[in-house]
Structure formats: C-alpha cells, structure tokens
Amino acid sequence: MQAFAPAERDLALQETFTPLGLLDDDSPYVDAEPVLAEMVRAGVARGTEAIEQALHHTGDLQNGWNLTYHAFDYNLDFFEIGALDESQWKLDLVPKLRYFARAAAARGGLWGNHGYEAAYAMVYLDGDGNLLDGTKSYRLRFEETPPVGAFWSVTMYDSKDFYLLDNPIDRYSIGDRTPGVRRAADGSLTIVLQHDEPETEEDRANWLPTPAAPFRPILRMYEPQGAAFDGGYVLPPIVSSS
C-alpha cells in the first residue's frame, strides 16, 4: 500500500488502517505476537466466509447462472490506453460495497476484464437448483451460441480453489474455437459435462471433463454484444442427465 498508493478517493480509507500498523515501516505482522496472530487468523476466516457467500449469491440469477457481467467494473480512476472511462462500465456502489465487490471478484477470477471487453457468468447450480457435482452427468444445450464480437468459451474449474482440472484429453474449456465439436442438424450445440469419458463419439467430441466432485464452470463472452446485457440473450440451464 505504501509502494502503490490508491486513488485519491480511497486515501481516506487507507488512513483508517494506520492504528493497525498496516502502514508502518516495521510491520507488526511480520513476526506477530500470538494474540495478534490469532486475531488476524480469525479475521481472515470471517472475511473469507463472507466473500465465499457473496460469490454464490452475486449478480442476477438466470437458469442457475450468476450473471456477473459487471463484476470487474470497480475501477473508477485508472484508465490507460484503450480503456473506456464511461459511466455504464463503473459500478455504482458506495465505497465499502465497491471494495467488497473488488475482493470477491479477485477471489472468483483474478485479473478479469471490464464488461465491454468480456462478460462472465459463473454457475454452481443446475437448472433445478441443485449443486453441480461430478458424480453426475450434465448437458448444456445452446440453441443459439452466446452473442459475441470475438469469441466465447466455457471453462471448467473445481469449486473449492477455482483451479483448472487435469483430465485425460487435456481439455480445459470448450467454445467456438474448439476443433472437432459437433452441432446438431438444427445448429444447436450441446456440451457434455461429466467426469467419465462419454460412450458415443458425438458426446466425446463435445465433452468438457469435470472432477468427480463439485465444480464451477465459467462462461466467458469476449466483446459481448448488447443482447447479453439487455436480456435479449438468455443462458440455458445446465441439465442433469443422470
């Protein structure tokens, strides 16, 4: 915080940390006394739980998907070449909520883009409201693929640490750049989400492997079009097939 000062609007909040020693040259946290260390651990646990709860209940819910399209629009002050300094890409939140939203965004997907660059939707639930779990098989059928000017993808993560998952086909995402995917005669695309290798050749072509445990996919839409934001495009539910 000393080396990289915040924007002027946030300096007042940073100063409130002064009594805690966070801005001291000799930090009391480097070799903390046991009582202080325990207080910090307890605070981290409370903060972590609050952020985890927020990740499950943030954004508009649509067929189980959390539409976190503006999750990374917390920047109000630093705009470099190519960044849009426009009100529709700035979170209209009181400061404390904006800080919390930034922390949740960092936990859920560090280094995300502004909404006009990429719109993100994450999902923990199937279309019936049940937690996604790799002990089951699922289908995600796009009658119309996401409206983008660049590309889109669905990436698989575990639901604990949000890590990519080792799998036998080295496939970590699937989308419009994935070679070999198969569309139905009507143009729809069905992604198969399950742990075990599918039995049919068609399902294998569209297979996005899951862990044999709870998981959390993320849909990314790069250069999202207006239909993604105005409700013209609705994300389909993930449907259990087992």
Side-chain angles (χ1 to χ4, degrees):
M1 289 186 290
Q2 293 178 11
F4 300 96
E8 184 176 352
R9 75 177 73 236
D10 297 326
L11 284 173
L13 176 71
Q14 180 169 290
E15 286 302 317
T16 66
F17 301 149
T18 300
L20 302 177
L22 290 179
L23 304 178
D24 292 354
D25 291 331
D26 297 320
S27 172
Y29 301 95
V30 172
D31 187 19
E33 296 293 329
V35 173
L36 177 58
E38 181 56 34
M39 291 174 63
V40 171
R41 282 192 289 268
V44 168
R46 289 179 59 190
T48 299
E49 176 62 22
I51 288 175
E52 295 297 330
Q53 288 296 318
L55 286 176
H56 283 75
H57 302 93
T58 189
D60 296 325
L61 195 65
Q62 184 182 89
N63 286 329
W65 295 86
N66 294 88
L67 306 186
T68 54
Y69 294 163
H70 294 282
F72 295 94
D73 291 345
Y74 48 73
N75 176 33
L76 305 181
D77 299 280
F78 300 104
F79 298 93
E80 298 183 3
I81 295 174
L84 301 181
D85 184 1
E86 299 175 359
S87 60
Q88 66 265 39
W89 309 115
K90 297 180 181 181
L91 281 176
D92 184 19
L93 298 173
V94 297
K96 286 186 177 181
L97 287 180
R98 184 166 58 86
Y99 303 142
F100 187 76
R102 183 171 63 186
R107 165 66 177 137
L110 193 62
W111 310 122
N113 297 291
H114 284 97
Y116 57 84
E117 296 175 310
Y120 308 96
M122 58 185 180
V123 60
Y124 297 89
L125 307 174
D126 66 17
D128 294 322
N130 300 312
L131 286 173
L132 296 170
D133 194 296
T135 59
K136 299 180 180 180
S137 298
Y138 301 90
R139 299 290 186 272
L140 173 59
R141 182 175 182 270
F142 289 101
E143 293 185 11
E144 296 181 16
T145 51
V148 295
F151 60 93
W152 66 271
S153 63
V154 177
T155 305
M156 181 61 61
Y157 300 92
D158 69 38
S159 65
K160 179 182 178 181
D161 299 307
F162 308 146
Y163 288 157
L164 296 172
L165 301 158
D166 288 332
N167 63 81
I169 61 172
D170 290 330
R171 177 178 283 175
Y172 305 96
S173 66
I174 193 168
D176 59 0
R177 299 171 300 161
T178 305
V181 294
R182 297 189 179 183
R183 293 178 179 268
D186 61 4
S188 64
L189 173 63
T190 298
I191 298 175
V192 178
L193 303 100
Q194 61 185 55
H195 179 67
D196 296 327
E197 182 177 344
E199 295 181 358
T200 70
E201 183 177 347
E202 181 176 356
D203 282 353
R204 286 194 295 272
N206 294 358
W207 178 33
L208 181 58
T210 75
F215 60 91
R216 183 205 70 170
I218 287 184
L219 169 70
R220 291 177 169 86
M221 294 181 280
Y222 289 92
E223 293 186 16
Q225 304 300 292
F229 296 100
D230 64 18
Y233 181 77
V234 177
L235 293 181
I238 295 177
V239 177
S240 175
S241 58
S242 64

